[in-house]
Each structure stands twice: as structure tokens, then as C-alpha cells.
Amino acid sequence: MTPQRLDRATARRVAVRAQLLDADRPADLLTVVDRLTFLQIDPTAAVAPNADLVAWTRLGAAYQPNQLTRALEADRTLFEHRAMVRPMADLGLHLAEMAAWPEDARRRDWLAANDTFRRYVLDLLRDSGPLLSRDVPDRSVVPWPSTGWTNNRNVTQMLEFLAARGEIAISGRIGRQRTWDLAERVYPPGTPAVPAEEAARTRDERLLRSLGVARATVVGEAGEPTEIEGTSGLWRVDPAALDGTPLAGRTALLSPFDRLVHDRRRALELFDFEYRLEMYVPKAQRRWGYFALPVLHHDRLVGKVDATADRKAGVLRVDAIHEDVPFTAEVTAAVHAELEALASWLGLPEVRRGENSAGTAGGWPAAGG
């Protein structure tokens, strides 16, 4: 197939609309997760947990975190697996992959050496589940070896491995702690496993629909080949996204883990947007901040906001608004409005300029201004 050619403006608009970041907001959380295919779970909550922040960016004030909890624990319309929240309707697309896990010898050998421990965990959950990891005694025969934080964390590793294999599942949370139970008591009974090759192909197609445009290394052979002006090599594009509908844009504050910016190379190629998460960068060496929020305005990524939810003080603290391109009065007003909306959603009564914001751009007023 001869590749078609897109200019970068069109590619950006396709990407923004695919990620539900245009002015036409989706109806509910399930619609968001179904379209995005997953929400990533990350414990960092400098502003809000990633899954909640991504959902808020799409749904606005209509979204509250208890909706995610209800969908996972009561309605079972979503499930959590390997740090991702996915639609329960997609479970069959992952069962064959679960059944084949793990592919590497190291994990297979550890599970085989600890088969009595594995069977003990399954029996314990069958009799007493759901349980927190601390409620599961360590009966490993061979400890889990690691040079990192998982060294000798045998219960955690066994639970993670059994969940990856689809034998157990996360049934809920108590605070941030996961509760574990047999998969048969969490997943709908009788869910058929889609054959592995077909499942992988369907997952690629769904992922491309959520991204609009992506490299083949991300979405395989899904969609159609395309060249994008100003970039090298071929991309894949979702043909359904090329319907000529104009983009009705808006301004949005994104999580650093948001899929519009998660692929840093893609963000640079399509949006001229340079970004890295600086949580692990020494403070003196940070350019944008600990958990800087990328700023989307229509089809451009225009800056970053260094903000923190200071719940003790009851404020959303803004230490800096970094302009990648000079903000117009319209963009400045829109960014400030989004910050006010974010603070309101977080239940924080005030947006306050931080102590380190002497160089703040974007016209942010001084505290009390």
C-alpha cells in the first residue's frame, strides 16, 4: 500500500481527538477507558493519582474518584491488571497472554521452585480471600533474588506473578493497599479467551484508535501506513480518524503519564514538545518541576505548569508556568481557568502562587492578587 502523506497539523489534530482531548467531552468514565483502552496506575499524587487526573482531564468536574472505585469493585465494569485499569469487556483479549505468562526462564524457574507456595496462596485465598498481601504468610522455598527493591519480597512477587498468569486478581483496595482474590471471583465466569494472534491484532487496532497516529513499533500493522511532514520513516494512522471533521479544541492540563505525551519522541516529532518527568532529578537541576503538567491548547502543547496539591494548606500551589511559546491573553486566561477548575475538583479552595515562583510566566498573579 502506497503511504499517504499528512501534514503535522493534521496529525496533531488526529492525535488530540483520538485521546478525547477536544471540546466534545465524553459522557462517562467507562467511555473514556474504553476509548483510551487503559488508565495507568501510578502511586505519585503530587496533584492527583494518574488514573484520576487522566479521567478528570477528559470528563472535567463530572468525574469523581469514587466512580473509578465503584467501577472496579462494585460494578466490575473495569479491572486492574499489572498497573493498568482496563475495560472488563476487553478481558478476553488478555486471557491468552495471561495463560502464556511468563515467557522468561527466570520467573518460570522461580515459580516451579515455589510450587508448594503457589498452591498454598491459592488455597488460602479460596478459603479466606480477599486478602491484603500482609495477610499472606511467606512460605517460599526459594527467595526471590533481586538487586532492587523486590529482593526477598516473596509474597508480593508471588501475588504479582499469579495475577499476571490470571490465577488471581485484584479485587479492590483498602487505601492504597490492594486486596487479592481468586480470579474466578473477580472476573466474569466463562469469559472466552480470544486466540493469541487475533487478540494481539485487536489490541493493536484499539490502541491505534486511541492514539490516532503512532509508530509501528507501538501498534504493529494496525491502520494504514503514512508519512508525516517533517518526520522521518513511516507511521501508522487510524483511517477512521481522517474524516475531515474540524477540531474543536480546548485547553487542558495533562498528567505527565498522559498518553498524548507519554511517548516523548512522538511528542517532540508531532508537537515540537520537549518534556521529561523530573521527579527523580535533583531539585537544583530541574527545568520544569517535580511533577510539571503539560499544557495542551487546541492542537498544540504550549507549556508546563509546576503545580502541587498542598492539602495541609488547602491550596493548589503553582510554582511556575513555563511558556514553550509566548502565551497570548487567550491562552493565559484559559490556563488560569483550568487551574481554578483543577483546584475546585481537588476540593482545594484556593490557587496560590508558590514561594519559588518569582520567575513565573503566564501572568500568574501574586498570592492574594
Side-chain angles (χ1 to χ4, degrees):
M1 178 182 294
T2 302
Q4 56 186 310
R5 185 169 177 81
L6 299 179
D7 58 70
R8 283 209 296 171
T10 299
R12 288 195 300 269
R13 291 164 191 162
V14 165
V16 168
R17 289 179 61 196
Q19 278 285 296
L20 302 177
L21 288 166
D22 57 340
D24 185 16
R25 291 184 184 268
D28 53 44
L29 177 62
L30 187 57
T31 300
V32 170
V33 184
D34 180 67
R35 177 57 177 262
L36 302 187
T37 76
F38 62 83
L39 297 178
Q40 180 180 342
I41 300 229
D42 187 89
T44 308
V47 174
N50 178 68
D52 292 324
L53 189 53
V54 169
W56 171 78
T57 301
R58 274 72 182 174
L59 294 166
Y63 172 73
Q64 292 299 321
N66 62 4
Q67 296 172 16
L68 179 57
T69 301
R70 185 170 65 247
L72 286 166
E73 299 181 18
D75 301 339
R76 300 292 193 199
T77 52
L78 303 175
F79 71 99
E80 180 181 342
H81 181 68
R82 306 193 74 181
M84 302 291 179
V85 172
R86 299 184 183 276
M88 191 65 83
D90 284 356
L91 176 63
L93 297 175
H94 299 275
L95 290 176
E97 185 178 58
M98 292 181 192
W101 196 94
E103 295 181 352
D104 63 290
R106 182 185 180 214
R107 290 175 173 83
R108 283 200 308 270
D109 292 346
W110 188 79
L111 282 169
N114 285 289
D115 190 58
T116 56
F117 182 29
R118 168 185 164 273
R119 286 186 279 110
Y120 168 75
V121 171
L122 294 175
D123 289 342
L124 180 65
L125 291 177
R126 182 173 293 107
D127 294 340
S128 306
L131 296 174
L132 296 165
S133 61
R134 65 170 177 255
D135 299 324
V136 179
D138 183 357
R139 295 198 177 181
S140 58
V141 177
V142 177
W144 173 254
S146 171
T147 57
W149 72 274
T150 61
N151 186 61
N152 210 32
R153 294 175 64 92
N154 305 310
V155 171
T156 299
Q157 289 301 95
M158 181 58 75
L159 292 169
E160 294 279 6
F161 287 5
L162 294 182
R165 287 160 59 96
E167 295 185 83
I168 69 173
I170 298 167
S171 66
R173 285 179 178 259
I174 299 175
R176 290 191 178 188
Q177 300 298 309
R178 296 168 293 182
T179 59
W180 305 85
D181 206 347
L182 297 180
E184 64 200 47
R185 297 204 285 240
V186 177
Y187 299 153
T191 302
V194 178
E197 290 187 9
E198 179 185 349
R201 185 168 58 251
T202 301
R203 291 198 307 268
D204 284 345
E205 291 168 354
R206 284 180 45 70
L207 183 58
L208 179 59
R209 181 170 179 259
S210 79
L211 295 172
V213 291
R215 296 289 189 177
T217 51
V218 177
V219 297
E221 295 302 306
E224 297 176 356
T226 189
E227 297 174 345
I228 297 177
E229 171 195 31
T231 70
S232 60
L234 288 177
W235 297 72
R236 308 295 297 187
V237 63
D238 175 17
L242 301 175
D243 60 3
T245 303
L247 175 71
R250 61 183 174 94
T251 301
L253 303 176
L254 307 180
S255 164
F257 301 104
D258 196 291
R259 258 38 202 185
L260 190 71
V261 297
H262 185 266
D263 184 333
R264 310 304 189 205
R265 178 185 172 189
R266 176 177 179 264
L268 186 61
E269 290 182 301
L270 297 185
F271 293 88
D272 290 319
F273 186 69
E274 182 184 358
Y275 184 84
R276 72 168 173 165
L277 184 58
E278 296 180 320
M279 290 165 44
Y280 305 110
V281 176
K283 187 174 182 179
Q285 298 175 24
R286 292 175 190 154
R287 297 174 61 188
W288 303 304
Y290 177 85
F291 197 74
L293 307 177
V295 179
L296 174 71
H297 182 71
H298 294 236
D299 67 339
R300 300 302 301 267
L301 289 162
V302 296
K304 298 101 175 168
V305 173
D306 181 11
T308 306
D310 187 341
R311 297 191 177 278
K312 184 176 180 180
V315 301
L316 178 65
R317 191 178 68 248
V318 179
D319 283 323
I321 300 177
H322 302 280
E323 301 180 8
D324 285 19
V325 295
F327 285 10
T328 63
E330 175 194 359
V331 174
T332 298
V335 171
H336 293 173
E338 282 299 295
L339 285 166
E340 295 288 352
L342 177 58
S344 176
W345 174 68
L346 292 169
L348 300 174
E350 182 183 350
V351 181
R352 180 182 297 172
R353 182 169 177 166
E355 296 177 357
N356 302 319
S357 59
T360 294
W364 188 250

